[in-house]
Amino acid sequence: MNKWLYIILAIFLSVLIVLSVRVYGSSRTSDIQDCFVETKEMIVQGNSLEPLIMPRKTIKVLFGYYSCHEIKREDVVLFDYAASKNPVIKIVKGIPGDKFELKHSGSGWNLLINNKVVKNSESEPYLITDHGYRMLSLYEQDYHGIIPPNTYLLLGNLAGGSLDSTVFGLVDKSDIIAKVEI
């Protein structure tokens, strides 16, 4: 009798283990399936990413990409800017946990991230205006020079500035709506 009880118990445990593996596996698959990336082609309207991306160039935009992937430094992204009816295209220059500071340099301010001067795609350092300094220095003071979780610093490619974090400040992850492939 005890022998049959052990056999039944062994079968029951085996079935339970198989079911738990299947449930865990389907859950992981579901997470991947829930990550739907919609690809669209769009035409760039502005010039803030010249010469990296020229005006009127058709770009491939991946909506939903950041639901499954982390935002990385140097990613080109579309940002939902409340003051614009169209999304704004920018480059991620600062990510959560980065140390950032502003240093006066001649006729403007250099932005340093992790103690390195931030440069555009042409290796030119960004020269932040006094207005941009006032905006970013508020974040520097409030967050002790550390970019907070789920927050990003976005810049255009023009060394002299554009409509970017020097104007609208740090950006919450929820406002970054797509990745741009270049």
Side-chain angles (χ1 to χ4, degrees):
M1 201 69 151
N2 285 342
K3 182 180 176 183
W4 286 106
L5 186 61
Y6 286 118
I7 292 173
I8 292 172
L9 185 60
I11 292 171
F12 176 76
L13 288 174
S14 297
V15 169
L16 189 60
I17 289 170
V18 168
L19 287 176
S20 69
V21 168
R22 284 188 180 163
V23 168
Y24 177 73
S26 69
S27 173
R28 292 187 82 207
T29 303
S30 172
D31 289 343
I32 292 169
Q33 289 174 349
D34 289 345
C35 183
F36 177 73
V37 177
E38 181 181 3
T39 303
K40 288 186 177 181
E41 287 189 346
M42 299 178 80
I43 298 173
V44 175
Q45 299 298 319
N47 68 341
S48 72
L49 291 184
E50 281 187 28
L52 185 63
I53 301 176
M54 300 302 287
R56 294 176 295 289
K57 179 177 180 182
T58 301
I59 56 172
K60 188 173 170 182
V61 181
L62 308 174
F63 290 92
Y65 181 86
Y66 292 120
S67 298
C68 328
H69 302 88
E70 70 180 75
I71 299 170
K72 295 179 183 171
R73 184 183 336 279
E74 300 301 325
D75 278 0
V76 177
V77 299
L78 276 187
F79 158 62
D80 188 16
Y81 180 46
S84 174
K85 66 178 182 167
N86 295 320
V88 177
I89 185 171
K90 297 295 164 199
I91 306 167
V92 177
K93 293 294 184 174
I95 60 175
D98 278 350
K99 178 181 184 281
F100 75 101
E101 62 183 308
L102 298 156
K103 295 259 181 174
H104 195 265
S105 172
S107 61
W109 298 85
N110 285 122
L111 173 65
L112 282 76
I113 294 187
N114 300 325
N115 299 316
K116 294 181 182 172
V117 174
V118 179
K119 297 180 180 182
N120 67 6
S121 70
E122 303 296 299
S123 295
E124 301 169 327
Y126 288 94
L127 190 60
I128 310 296
T129 64
D130 285 339
H131 174 74
Y133 169 80
R134 285 190 294 278
M135 170 59 76
L136 290 177
S137 69
L138 294 173
Y139 289 100
E140 185 180 20
Q141 291 168 16
D142 288 349
Y143 298 114
H144 308 290
I146 304 293
I147 297 177
N150 294 316
T151 309
Y152 299 84
L153 189 139
L154 307 180
L155 296 176
N157 199 44
L158 302 176
S162 67
L163 178 63
D164 55 25
S165 284
T166 63
V167 175
F168 48 67
L170 299 178
V171 175
D172 190 80
K173 181 181 180 179
S174 64
D175 292 323
I176 296 174
I177 58 173
K179 177 178 176 139
V180 175
E181 286 190 346
I182 57 170

